[in-house]
Amino acid sequence: MLTNLVSAAAVGLALYVAVLGLLWFKQESLLFAPTVLPAKHVLTTAADIHEANIQVDGAQLSALHLRLPKPRGVVFFLHGNAGSLQTWFTNTDLYRRANFDLFMIDYRGYGKSTGRIESEAQLHADVRAAWHHVAPQYAGRKMVVYGRSLGSGLAARLSVELSAKQTPDLTVLVSPYSSMAALAAEHYGWVPAWILRYPMRTDQLIGQLRGPLVLIDGDLDQLIAPQHSQALQALAPHAKVLRIAGAAHGDIHEFDAYLDALARLLNEL
C-alpha cells in the first residue's frame, strides 16, 4: 500500500514538473493571441490614416497613424494581447473631435509585424523604438501614453522611463493589472511565481510615474478585476480611478461612459 502511494506521488510529481516545463517553454503561446495578416493586407482606406513600418532588432513592426492637419498632440496607444491593428484601431472619430493624432503598433507576430515575441525586455525595447519613431513629430505638443490590458504594463514602464526627460502630459491605463505575476496567481494559484517569464511588475514602478495618471476599468471585468486598479492607486496616490458600470474586459471601449471620459481627458489637456 505504501509502495503504491509513493509510486503515485512520484508520478504526480513528474506530471507536475512536466506541466511546469511546458509552461516555461510555451509561455508565449499562452500569453499572446495575435491575429496574423498577410503582408499585402490593406489595414485602412481612410485618407487621414497612414500605415507605417518601424525597424527593430530582428523584425519590423506594423503601425497605423491617424494624422490630422493641425493636431494638439498624439495618443500613443499600446493594445491588448489578442487580435491586431485591424480590430484595435477603433473610435477614431473620438480622436478627430478631440484633435489628437492616434499612433498604434502591432507587437511582433501580430498583424503584419514580423518576428516573434521572445522576452519581456524585447517587448519594452520595441515599445521604446516605436515611441522614438513618432515622438519627435510632436515636440511642443501634448503627448499621451495609453495602454490597455497587456499594454497597460508596457505603457506604465514607458511613462516612467520618459519621466526622466519629458514627462507625458497624461498616462491612461485601461483594464490594468498590478502585475502579470499577481494576475497569474489569481487564476492559476498552483503555478509558482518563478515560472512566469513575463512578470510585468507595474506595481514595482508605478510609484515613480510622474504626471497625470488615470486608471480605467470595468466593474464586471472578471479577467483583470477592479482590485488591480485599487492596488495601483494605493501605490500611486495621485492616480485617478474611473470605473465603468456594466463594462467587462473586452467591451469597455463600447460604453458611452468610457468614450465620454476619454474625450474629456483629452479635451482638458
Side-chain angles (χ1 to χ4, degrees):
M1 182 67 174
L2 180 60
T3 302
N4 291 339
L5 289 175
V6 171
S7 297
V11 169
L13 178 61
L15 288 173
Y16 180 63
V17 171
V19 169
L20 292 183
L22 186 65
L23 288 175
W24 176 268
F25 290 107
K26 296 293 184 180
Q27 206 157 120
E28 285 79 10
S29 63
L30 298 174
L31 290 176
F32 310 114
T35 295
V36 180
L37 299 173
K40 294 183 178 180
H41 182 81
V42 178
L43 287 168
T44 181
T45 58
D48 57 359
I49 302 177
H50 306 268
E51 291 196 41
N53 292 307
I54 301 167
Q55 298 297 327
V56 292
D57 187 19
Q60 178 176 274
L61 303 182
S62 171
L64 281 177
H65 194 178
L66 169 66
R67 288 162 48 190
L68 303 174
K70 294 181 179 179
R72 296 175 52 228
V74 65
V75 176
F76 184 82
F77 190 119
L78 296 164
H79 66 62
N81 78 315
S84 72
L85 290 172
Q86 188 72 61
T87 50
W88 277 105
F89 207 84
T90 61
N91 298 326
T92 51
D93 281 344
L94 181 153
Y95 299 97
R96 290 186 181 98
R97 288 192 296 270
N99 197 25
F100 266 79
D101 285 358
L102 175 64
F103 187 85
M104 192 184 306
I105 62 168
D106 261 338
Y107 312 121
R108 296 185 190 218
Y110 284 71
K112 296 163 64 174
S113 293
T114 63
R116 63 187 182 90
I117 299 172
E118 297 178 331
S119 70
E120 180 178 336
Q122 180 199 67
L123 265 175
H124 291 302
D126 286 355
V127 166
R128 285 193 294 271
W131 172 265
H132 291 304
H133 170 87
V134 72
Q137 303 173 39
Y138 296 93
R141 304 185 193 185
K142 302 297 183 181
M143 296 188 180
V144 178
V145 175
Y146 177 116
R148 180 164 169 191
S149 192
L150 169 68
S152 68
L154 300 171
R157 180 170 292 277
L158 176 65
S159 285
V160 168
E161 292 174 351
L162 293 175
S163 294
K165 295 183 178 179
Q166 182 182 11
T167 301
D169 295 281
L170 174 65
T171 300
V172 180
L173 307 181
V174 180
S175 305
Y177 44 83
S178 57
S179 72
M180 198 68 78
L183 193 61
E186 291 174 10
H187 293 283
Y188 308 101
W190 52 275
V191 177
W194 58 263
I195 207 74
L196 192 64
R197 291 190 285 110
Y198 295 81
M200 306 290 282
R201 295 303 301 260
T202 303
D203 56 343
Q204 292 183 352
L205 54 86
I206 199 166
Q208 307 168 43
L209 199 157
R210 302 293 176 257
L213 170 61
V214 178
L215 313 174
I216 306 177
D217 57 39
D219 67 348
L220 298 184
D221 194 332
Q222 296 184 350
L223 180 59
I224 304 178
Q227 287 78 2
H228 283 263
S229 291
Q230 295 171 358
L232 292 174
Q233 187 184 39
L235 296 167
H238 69 290
K240 180 179 180 180
V241 175
L242 301 178
R243 187 141 299 139
I244 307 302
H249 190 76
D251 64 358
I252 190 170
H253 62 287
E254 299 174 0
F255 281 73
D256 287 342
Y258 162 83
L259 297 173
D260 292 344
L262 182 55
R264 184 171 61 254
L265 290 170
L266 295 178
N267 289 328
E268 290 174 350
L269 289 178

